[in-house]
Amino acid sequence: MRRGGVTLYVNDQLECMEPCLGMDEELTESLWVRIKGRAGTGDIIAGVCYRPPDQEDRADEALYREIGAASRSQALVLMGDFKHPNICWRDNMAGHKQSRRFLECVDDNFLLQVIEEPMRRGAMLDLVLTNKEGLVGNVKLKASLGCSDHEMAEFKILRAARRAHSKLTTLDFRRADFGFFRYLLGRVPWDKALQGRGAQESWLIFKGNLLQAQERCIPTKKKSGKTTRRPAWMNKELLDKLKHKKEAYRGWKQGQVAWEEYREIV
């Protein structure tokens, strides 16, 4: 399959088809395929993308719409050269406006970026994104292919990840006793406890008391299913507000919503 500047090869032993993402974005250099899963594993959406360094905002937004539609699938793997070298993936920060918008797209769709080492002259341009923790593994960087100045990335799609039971635990804020939590922190004589202490020592004292109160007042639970890749505080109300924000942003970009109205929503 070929389109623009990207190519996507699929083993002929795999059953695949072009997914219906509900849009026809001619502005993007991307390809998408739905790979039929074996019984009990489900289908996987695989995508490949090339983003030119001088790409306009309009084309960026078209790509983000595609990513948003593909992210609604149970299993997504998206790879490509996104040309955002100034993103710090460790801190989830970026200095450039277009890079911050890309990070916003990644966060809004709960995507994970699994490449940890730069693949082109110290720059992190080539990325592998997935919407399911544990779906992509055994990531290895290899030598360049032919005359390319990019290193190759090899990884495995762990199809059994859908059925795996998550061992991650998270705080269960729905069952937290915040009244008792405030009481425990409020009874600490902070003026006396922090008197004469430096910033680092004061922080460690505060952190110790905070964690003790947290352990007593906020129970934990195992993460499972779709919630495995969502933050613990992300509930239905916040998801609805996030959806409303994205719709307002799309309306503003298309000239259907005034800037003041959009800023009020945000």
Side-chain angles (χ1 to χ4, degrees):
M1 302 176 66
R2 188 178 180 87
R3 174 183 175 183
V6 295
T7 303
L8 180 60
Y9 293 92
V10 180
N11 191 304
D12 58 7
Q13 296 182 0
L14 297 174
E15 182 182 351
C16 65
M17 64 186 70
E18 187 174 358
C20 179
L21 300 180
M23 58 197 68
D24 182 20
E25 300 291 5
E26 294 294 336
L27 297 173
T28 66
E29 294 190 44
S30 61
L31 278 171
W32 304 87
V33 65
R34 179 186 297 275
I35 302 174
K36 189 72 175 177
R38 299 187 182 93
T41 61
D43 298 348
I44 294 175
I45 298 288
V48 61
C49 165
Y50 173 72
R51 177 187 175 276
D54 57 349
Q55 181 159 282
E56 298 179 352
D57 290 345
R58 182 186 172 199
D60 276 345
E61 293 305 319
L63 175 62
Y64 300 153
R65 286 193 293 272
E66 285 188 340
I67 294 175
S71 297
R72 299 188 187 102
S73 65
Q74 287 293 315
L76 166 68
V77 177
L78 172 60
M79 64 214 91
D81 182 355
F82 291 87
K83 288 291 190 294
H84 289 295
N86 58 35
I87 292 180
C88 176
W89 290 100
R90 183 186 62 186
D91 299 328
N92 202 43
M93 297 177 63
H96 194 275
K97 175 184 175 182
Q98 287 182 313
S99 297
R100 289 196 297 270
R101 177 67 186 102
F102 177 67
L103 274 181
E104 183 180 319
C105 171
V106 171
D107 291 340
D108 287 352
N109 293 291
F110 307 105
L111 299 178
L112 305 172
Q113 204 288 110
V114 300
I115 297 294
E116 298 180 351
E117 300 178 44
M119 298 169 59
R120 182 178 184 272
R121 300 175 183 174
M124 189 82 80
L125 305 178
D126 304 289
L127 310 174
V128 177
L129 301 163
T130 178
N131 66 347
K132 192 170 186 64
E133 189 172 4
L135 181 63
V136 174
N138 300 333
V139 180
K140 300 176 183 178
L141 299 187
K142 297 198 169 185
S144 301
L145 179 65
C147 298
S148 174
D149 58 354
H150 292 247
E151 294 182 24
M152 292 188 294
E154 179 183 284
F155 57 90
K156 290 186 177 181
I157 297 177
L158 309 175
R159 303 173 68 88
R162 277 194 68 184
R163 298 177 294 177
H165 297 287
S166 173
K167 297 181 180 179
L168 296 175
T169 59
T170 184
L171 297 175
D172 188 356
F173 293 104
R174 295 178 184 273
R175 296 191 293 138
D177 186 346
F178 288 110
F180 190 43
F181 183 81
R182 286 191 291 268
Y183 166 75
L184 291 177
L185 291 180
R187 72 176 187 176
V188 177
W190 293 109
D191 290 342
K192 183 177 180 180
L194 303 180
Q195 186 176 13
R197 312 283 187 179
Q200 180 64 20
E201 192 175 2
S202 297
W203 160 244
L204 293 176
I205 293 173
F206 172 76
K207 180 182 177 181
N209 283 275
L210 181 71
L211 292 178
Q212 289 179 19
Q214 173 185 291
E215 186 175 354
R216 296 181 63 180
C217 303
I218 308 177
T220 60
K221 64 177 181 179
K222 288 186 176 181
K223 299 181 75 175
S224 61
K226 290 184 178 179
T227 58
T228 303
R229 59 188 174 90
R230 289 180 183 171
W233 42 263
M234 183 63 71
N235 55 28
K236 186 178 183 303
E237 181 183 357
L238 289 176
L239 286 172
D240 290 340
K241 289 183 177 180
L242 182 60
K243 180 181 178 181
H244 185 45
K245 173 192 170 185
K246 292 169 67 175
E247 290 175 347
Y249 180 82
R250 189 179 303 115
W252 171 64
K253 293 294 289 186
Q254 296 174 353
Q256 300 172 357
V257 176
W259 169 253
E260 291 76 14
E261 183 179 352
Y262 168 66
R263 290 300 301 171
E264 183 67 25
I265 294 174
V266 174

